[in-house]
Amino acid sequence: KEFRLRLWLKEDGNQVTDNQWNYSNQSFSAKVVVHAFDAGQQGNYQYTINNNEVTITGYDGMVNGALTIPDTISNYPVTKIADSVFTRKGITELTLPKYLKEIGSYAFLGNKISSLTLPNSVEYIKGYAFSDNLIQELTFGLEEDPVLESQLIEIGFSAFNFNRLSEIHWPDTLRDFDVAPFNGQVSKDPNPLYIYQLKNGVVDYTTVIGYT
């Protein structure tokens, strides 16, 4: 038999490590595996580690310029940015971690980002994640992306509202839009392009949910 027990341990105030104990007697043998779970801080970044993946949960202070979020923290991949972490931090340029899977609601709302490249690993972009920026160019896939094709599944409610996009080409993997993800683009085009409802990969041309 194998018994798994998750414990929350701190060894040095910052990090924990995986440990394992084995127990056996005449009637049965058991292995207890303790997986690392941590809440810590590296530089300005506050984070948790769960199932060997990092979620960035906070950021101390302002950025007021370019920000490159690390690919790994404590040797674990950064896969999630929690809600509101970088709201109104004065970010002008942004480099996202190459293993990122989820971008939380309001994560980058109210900054000054003018172009954005999303790694192929991103699956979910939650509501208002990049709303109220200056984004003119949206690109899917890094130049040397470890993931060969986009994994994007869903773009949440008003995720890119109030930017400056004039053209959007989303990947074929995208399955769902929430309401109005691209509404309110500041564009000089006198003939805006309309965005229609997408649900389970099927376009409903009777329902306009946004425009550029």
Side-chain angles (χ1 to χ4, degrees), residues 7-196:
L7 302 177
W8 286 261
L9 303 175
K10 279 186 174 287
E11 292 183 345
D12 59 4
N14 255 332
Q15 293 183 307
V16 295
T17 57
D18 288 349
N19 293 281
Q20 177 177 305
W21 291 271
N22 292 289
Y23 174 79
S24 63
N25 63 19
Q26 293 180 348
S27 60
F28 71 94
S29 176
K31 180 173 68 175
V32 178
V33 181
V34 179
H35 292 282
F37 181 95
D38 186 29
Q41 182 150 344
Q42 176 175 296
N44 294 71
Y45 297 97
Q46 299 164 16
Y47 66 89
T48 60
I49 300 174
N50 195 6
N51 293 327
N52 297 328
E53 295 185 351
V54 172
T55 297
I56 294 178
T57 58
Y59 185 88
D60 290 342
M62 296 291 291
V63 176
N64 291 328
L67 177 67
T68 298
I69 300 173
D71 294 327
T72 62
I73 291 178
S74 296
N75 297 318
Y76 294 107
V78 175
T79 61
K80 183 177 179 179
I81 297 171
D83 296 349
S84 305
V85 173
F86 297 102
T87 297
R88 297 188 176 91
K89 294 288 188 179
I91 301 169
T92 58
E93 298 178 26
L94 176 63
T95 302
L96 294 169
K98 60 186 178 183
Y99 306 111
L100 187 64
K101 296 179 182 178
E102 181 174 323
I103 301 171
S105 300
Y106 306 94
F108 295 95
L109 178 143
N111 284 285
K112 301 176 181 179
I113 301 165
S114 59
S115 65
L116 178 64
T117 299
L118 293 168
N120 280 335
S121 56
V122 173
E123 299 175 1
Y124 299 98
I125 303 172
K126 299 298 186 178
Y128 293 98
F130 293 97
S131 185
D132 194 18
N133 273 273
L134 304 172
I135 300 172
Q136 301 179 52
E137 183 178 1
L138 178 59
T139 305
F140 297 92
L142 306 173
E143 287 188 7
E144 297 183 3
D145 204 309
V147 180
L148 296 180
E149 296 181 354
S150 175
Q151 305 299 303
L152 187 62
I153 297 172
E154 180 179 319
I155 298 178
F157 182 88
S158 299
F160 290 92
N161 271 15
F162 305 113
N163 279 281
R164 299 187 177 186
L165 291 163
S166 60
E167 191 172 11
I168 304 164
H169 299 280
W170 49 77
D172 294 338
T173 55
L174 183 62
R175 305 303 296 171
D176 293 299
F177 279 150
D178 208 326
V179 178
F182 294 99
N183 249 16
Q185 304 299 314
V186 178
S187 174
K188 296 180 180 179
D189 191 339
N191 300 304
L193 300 175
Y194 292 96
I195 298 172
Y196 299 92

